[in-house]
Amino acid sequence: MPEEVTLLLAKEIGKVVNFIQSNDTTENFESNLLEEQRLVYKNNRKRQLEEMFTDIIASKRKKGDTREESEIFNEELNKSSQIPKDKMIWPITLTSLSSVTENVDYVACQKINLQRYSVFKDLWEKGYYITSGEKFGGDFLVYLGDPITHHAIFIVRCVDATTKMTPYDIIAFGRLATSVKKRVVLASLIDDIVSYITVNWIDD
C-alpha cells in the first residue's frame, strides 16, 4: 500500500529504486539456482549412500557385479541425485534479479492521502499489523499479530471529520463487520491527531 511504503521511507527502513530486468538475468538466476540445489541434494544423497554402502556392495556382489567400489558408488550417486527443472524449489524470498539504476522520489510521484497515511502510521506505531481493508468495505484491516496466524479484529474506515455519515451508512458498515466477526472503527484526523470511534453492534 502507498501508506506502507511512505512509512518505510519516513522511518528509513527501506528505499525505492528503479530496476532494469532482462530475460538473460532471469535465465541465469534459474540455472544457477537449479545447479545449487542439485549440489546440495547430491551432497545429502552422498551421505545417505555412505551409510548404506556396505549393504549396496554386498547386494551387487551377489549379482556378480565385480566393478570397483568407487565406480559403483559414483553410479548410484549420479542416478539417485538428479533434480529435473520442473521439480526445483523456488525460494519464497528472492534477491532481486534486476540492476539498480537510480533512487526514486516515491512520495513525489504518489498522491498520498494524508488522513489515510496518518491513520496507518498511528496504528503501526501502536504495534498493530495492518493490511488493506478494501474487500471488507474499509480502508484497513487491523490485527493483534501476524496476519498469517491471526484474524483481523478491526475494520478501519478513514472518514473526514467534517463529512456527515447517515445512519444508513453506519448501520450497513456495522452489519458488514459483524457478519465477519470484526469491529467497526471510524478514524479521523483532527488537528493533526488521529481520533477513533468504535461502533459496536448489539443484538436485542
Side-chain angles (χ1 to χ4, degrees):
M1 294 180 289
E3 296 80 17
E4 184 174 12
V5 176
T6 303
L7 181 62
L8 291 173
L9 295 175
K11 298 289 185 180
E12 297 184 347
I13 297 173
K15 65 179 180 179
V16 179
V17 295
N18 274 333
F19 290 99
I20 297 176
Q21 181 168 314
S22 66
N23 291 331
D24 290 342
T25 303
T26 305
E27 291 173 0
N28 289 337
F29 175 82
E30 185 177 293
S31 298
N32 292 336
L33 181 62
L34 179 59
E35 189 58 36
E36 289 175 4
Q37 288 188 25
R38 284 173 174 166
L39 180 60
V40 171
Y41 183 64
K42 188 172 184 178
N43 288 335
N44 289 338
R45 184 59 181 157
K46 182 179 179 181
R47 288 192 291 270
Q48 293 174 346
L49 285 175
E50 288 172 345
E51 294 176 358
M52 61 180 74
F53 192 58
T54 300
D55 294 336
I56 293 174
I57 287 295
S59 177
K60 292 287 186 181
R61 294 296 186 240
K62 286 182 180 180
K63 296 177 181 178
D65 193 332
T66 59
R67 291 177 296 165
E68 295 288 334
E69 291 187 2
S70 59
E71 183 179 351
I72 295 174
F73 184 87
N74 289 331
E75 180 187 75
E76 292 295 317
L77 179 61
N78 289 331
K79 75 179 184 181
S80 63
S81 62
Q82 297 298 315
I83 299 180
K85 190 174 182 179
D86 61 337
K87 300 296 183 183
M88 67 184 291
I89 300 172
W90 283 88
I92 295 175
T93 303
L94 301 176
T95 301
S96 174
L97 309 183
S98 310
S99 301
V100 178
T101 58
E102 61 178 337
N103 290 339
V104 176
D105 188 348
Y106 179 83
V107 178
C109 63
Q110 294 287 327
K111 294 181 179 180
I112 302 298
N113 183 298
L114 179 59
Q115 181 167 256
R116 278 177 54 101
Y117 172 69
S118 298
V119 172
F120 183 95
K121 179 174 180 288
D122 188 67
L123 291 168
W124 187 85
E125 291 179 341
K126 292 181 186 300
Y128 291 109
Y129 289 71
I130 312 149
T131 63
S132 172
E134 289 182 357
K135 65 180 180 180
F136 291 108
D139 290 289
F140 305 116
L141 291 179
V142 178
Y143 306 74
L144 287 175
D146 191 327
I148 293 177
T149 57
H150 290 71
H151 292 291
I153 55 173
F154 301 129
I155 303 176
V156 178
R157 178 178 288 181
C158 300
V159 296
D160 192 319
T162 62
T163 301
K164 292 182 179 181
M165 292 188 68
T166 66
Y168 174 82
D169 292 333
I170 297 174
I171 290 172
F173 193 29
R175 282 182 172 172
L176 172 62
T178 301
S179 68
V180 291
K181 299 181 180 180
K182 307 183 195 314
R183 286 189 175 183
V184 169
V185 176
L186 304 177
S188 299
L189 184 63
I190 304 174
D191 296 329
D192 296 327
I193 298 175
V194 179
S195 299
Y196 300 97
I197 296 176
T198 303
V199 179
N200 292 320
W201 191 267
I202 301 175
D203 293 325
D204 293 333

